[in-house]
Amino acid sequence: MTPTPDIVVIGAGLAGTRLAARARQLGADVTVLGEEQHAPYNRVLLAEVLAGRYGPEVIALPHTPVRRGARVVRIDRAARTVHCADGQITRYGTLVLATGSRPVLPPLPGLPGGREPGRLPDAIRPFRTMDDCLAIAAAVRPGARAAVIGGGLLGVSVASALAGRGAEVVLLHRGERLMERQLDVSASVLVRAHLAEQGVEVRTGCRVRGLRVPPPGAPAFSRTTLHLTAEADPGTAPETEAGSAPEPASGPAGGQTLDVDLTVLACGVRPRVGLARSAGLIIRDGIVVDDELRTSDPWIRAIGDCAEHAGRVYALAGPALEQADALARSLASASASPSAPSASASAGAHYTGTRSLTRLTLTPARTPSVTANTPGTATAPGTATACGTATPLGTAPSPGTSTALDLAVFGETTPRPGDDVVQLTDTTRRAHRKVVVRGDRLVGGVLLGDLGAVGALARAWEADEALPSATAPLHLLTPDGGS
């Protein structure tokens, strides 16, 4: 059994390593237990590695001592110890859970290994870890057919990265539009158009209802077959906005198959709370914490994707880093007290929430190679298929006409009744700006293409102060954000 350090951190991601670095700067003894064999890295940039723009070493985090390959299997709260799969036991003074999140694996009939990421065949991969990234990159070759299941932020990033490596990519999404949690209709249409320029075939309103993988011993060129059908949700009407057309409606009900060399599951993430639940901590969506990031056990804290603060799980890098910094200050101010942690011990180090901004850059289109759904044929843009609406491969413009597409989203982008909404869309330049103003406050916005105003808008939103009375909402969309 190892000596008792001040702090033991389970998890070597952004939150865990940031906390360790800050706490060590403040004089604390910290042990970090990391499950992966890789040195800590910035998970946010994994798509850049997949696209081939960065090597794995480029996204490595600043050096932080980590016990790699340490998979924690049990927390003994009474003894204040953590137990690893290799039999090692570590005592803790304060335990910090920074276990992050795990990929959501859909309940697909025919999926080998059930819903356990480590038991999937090589041709089917989630996209969450460096091992996932490197395995997908090794499997992709120019002309390989790849399906990405899920059209949220992660799925769009993965589809763009795979297209950049020369793969023929089909992006399958159950919703009516891409990135519906972040984008309004107009912005989603522009993202879809950019993916089409990269050669990505986008199918919305499409559900994968099962798959068939080649049996063991099948020839290397054997493909996985996906069984597709149109997604039907009669309770959800298509969303429209003033001055914008909705994305094309789903096609007729029915089914079809899609043969692919590689399938990437990008269906979202959920907090990893298994250890905390087994230890008897209070769990809702995540591990419930207070303003000092303390769980229901006063000796255990939680930060990052696994933590639920004030009813919210952020699952974003910005909040994870802010939580780590706040907790480092809290633990440093409490370290002089040998008794159980108290609220007064860490006064002034509270975490009150994060107003986070999401940014994404999609790469320029590669030189297009017209690829049809069947040899010698092409599908017109927006064609309704048996699996919803498809934007086909091979719709890219001439080489050199595309640039990277930048995106920034913050706050509430869906207005409430009575809110003021101002938006400007230039489809020729592929630019879209939208802000939502509630009373005299800026409450959210979407910027796509030209991000010249994002700095000023983000500052106005983060400050949560009344806008100058002389500032008309339209002025917020000028390059200086109305400042």
Side-chain angles (χ1 to χ4, degrees), residues 97 102 271 273-287:
L97 301 178
R102 58 183 176 84
V273 298
L275 276 175
R277 178 175 284 115
S278 297
L281 301 179
I282 294 178
I283 307 294
R284 294 194 185 110
D285 289 332
I287 305 168

Side-chain angles (χ1 to χ4, degrees), residues 357-430:
L357 180 145
T358 299
R359 295 191 66 158
L360 173 67
T361 297
L362 299 179
T363 57
R366 61 183 172 89
T367 302
S369 58
V370 176
T371 305
N373 293 331
T374 57
T377 64
T379 306
T383 297
T385 70
C387 181
T389 302
T391 302
L393 296 163
T395 60
S398 301
T401 62
S402 176
T403 59
L405 185 66
D406 294 312
L407 163 70
V409 183
F410 60 92
E412 300 178 43
T413 60
T414 301
R416 299 177 185 173
D419 288 349
D420 291 319
V421 179
V422 183
Q423 63 181 358
L424 298 174
T425 302
D426 186 337
T427 55
T428 302
R429 293 181 173 84
R430 200 152 292 169

Side-chain angles (χ1 to χ4, degrees), residues 13-350:
L14 278 173
T17 54
R18 175 69 161 249
L19 170 66
R22 292 288 189 265
R24 286 175 178 136
Q25 289 173 356
L26 297 171
D29 178 19
V30 184
T31 296
V32 181
L33 305 176
E35 184 172 357
E36 295 187 50
Q37 293 289 350
H38 298 280
Y41 56 88
N42 187 345
R43 199 180 307 276
V44 175
L45 298 177
L46 275 178
E48 300 294 319
V49 176
L50 179 59
R53 289 186 290 275
Y54 295 162
E57 71 283 354
V58 175
I59 70 169
L61 295 173
H63 177 68
T64 298
V66 173
R67 191 186 303 166
R68 301 188 203 176
R71 183 169 66 88
V72 178
V73 295
R74 185 167 68 89
I75 300 169
D76 187 332
R77 291 169 55 190
R80 287 167 65 186
T81 58
V82 293
H83 298 246
C84 294
D86 61 5
Q88 191 164 29
I89 300 174
T90 303
R91 292 188 181 275
Y92 63 84
T94 296
L95 179 63
V96 180
L97 301 178
T99 49
S101 52
R102 58 183 176 84
V104 173
L105 302 186
L108 296 177
L111 183 65
R115 300 171 71 181
E116 295 296 326
R119 298 172 58 195
L120 296 175
D122 292 340
I124 302 175
R125 286 276 180 175
F127 187 74
R128 185 62 187 164
T129 67
M130 180 66 76
D131 284 339
D132 293 331
C133 178
L134 297 179
I136 293 169
V140 173
R141 62 187 186 280
R145 183 86 156 169
V148 178
I149 301 178
L153 178 64
L154 180 62
V156 167
S157 299
V158 171
S160 177
L162 291 175
R165 296 187 77 98
E168 298 173 3
V169 184
V170 183
L171 178 57
L172 307 170
H173 186 51
R174 293 183 63 171
E176 293 180 348
R177 69 178 193 272
L178 299 177
M179 295 178 63
E180 61 265 82
R181 292 187 179 181
Q182 293 89 11
L183 301 184
D184 56 25
V185 172
S186 298
S188 184
V189 168
L190 295 180
V191 168
R192 181 170 183 157
H194 184 84
L195 290 174
E197 282 192 354
Q198 288 189 280
V200 176
E201 178 182 351
V202 178
R203 301 190 189 184
T204 52
C206 182
R207 183 170 67 89
V208 181
R209 58 183 176 86
L211 51 80
R212 183 178 68 251
V213 300
F221 56 82
S222 300
R223 287 179 157 185
T224 298
T225 299
L226 306 182
H227 299 275
L228 313 176
T229 189
E231 177 69 11
D233 185 3
T236 303
E239 179 180 352
T240 60
E241 297 179 0
S244 66
E247 291 205 47
S250 296
Q256 60 180 191
T257 60
L258 177 68
D259 292 332
V260 295
D261 302 296
L262 174 69
T263 302
V264 181
L265 305 176
C267 306
V269 296
R270 291 197 181 104
R272 290 186 66 182
V273 298
L275 276 175
R277 178 175 284 115
S278 297
L281 301 179
I282 294 178
I283 307 294
R284 294 194 185 110
D285 289 332
I287 305 168
V288 176
V289 296
D290 61 15
D291 286 354
E292 290 174 12
L293 301 160
R294 182 187 294 112
T295 70
S296 51
D297 182 323
W299 298 105
I300 303 178
R301 312 291 182 103
I303 56 175
D305 290 6
C306 67
E308 178 179 335
H309 174 264
R312 182 174 181 182
V313 177
Y314 288 94
L316 295 169
L321 296 176
E322 288 192 14
Q323 290 171 5
D325 291 346
L327 181 54
R329 294 192 299 269
S330 173
L331 294 176
S333 60
S335 61
S337 173
S339 59
S342 64
S344 61
S346 53
H350 291 176

Side-chain angles (χ1 to χ4, degrees), residues 410 419-424 432-447 450-462 465-483:
F410 60 92
D419 288 349
D420 291 319
V421 179
V422 183
Q423 63 181 358
L424 298 174
H432 174 71
R433 296 180 184 178
K434 168 185 170 180
V435 293
V436 180
V437 178
R438 184 169 301 145
D440 58 2
R441 298 290 198 279
L442 177 64
V443 297
V446 178
L447 289 88
D450 181 3
L451 301 190
V454 68
L457 289 174
R459 288 191 294 272
W461 170 66
E462 289 171 354
E465 296 176 349
L467 297 171
S469 57
T471 301
L474 183 61
H475 292 166
L476 295 171
L477 300 182
T478 59
D480 62 358
S483 60

